Amino acid sequence: MNVINLLLYELEHTYSQDDWYSPLKLVLNDLTVEQAVWKPQSKTINSIWEITAHLLYYKERLLLRLQGKNAEYA
């Protein structure tokens, strides 16, 4: 298995395959906007929304790099 196929396998496995953790697709399926943006008032942590946006940003840049395109970082 080459590196690209391994990355694609892991991405698909994490998104939709049940393992020792629930798949992301199942976990986020019924999540409301209010739940996704919620943060404890006394904590300086990221919300589910912010974490997901962060992951998407870097996954998009990885995809561009794997396609041989220039991945610009804002």
Side-chain angles (χ1 to χ4, degrees):
M1 180 179 292
N2 66 32
V3 173
I4 292 176
N5 287 339
L6 177 61
L7 289 170
L8 290 172
Y9 170 82
E10 290 298 332
L11 180 62
E12 177 61 27
H13 189 80
T14 303
Y15 181 70
S16 64
Q17 301 298 315
D18 197 16
D19 204 339
W20 61 273
Y21 52 86
S22 297
L24 187 60
K25 181 179 180 180
L26 177 65
V27 172
L28 297 179
N29 190 40
D30 294 324
L31 192 69
T32 66
V33 172
E34 291 80 16
Q35 291 169 324
V37 298
W38 178 85
K39 290 194 224 185
Q41 290 183 352
S42 63
K43 304 285 183 186
T44 55
I45 62 173
N46 291 330
S47 67
I48 293 171
W49 185 293
E50 292 167 327
I51 293 168
T52 305
H54 179 85
L55 292 171
L56 179 61
Y57 178 85
Y58 286 101
K59 286 186 184 299
E60 287 174 339
R61 269 108 201 111
L62 174 60
L63 177 61
L64 289 172
R65 290 178 56 208
L66 290 173
Q67 293 173 336
K69 299 176 183 175
N70 186 20
E72 295 184 16
Y73 294 86

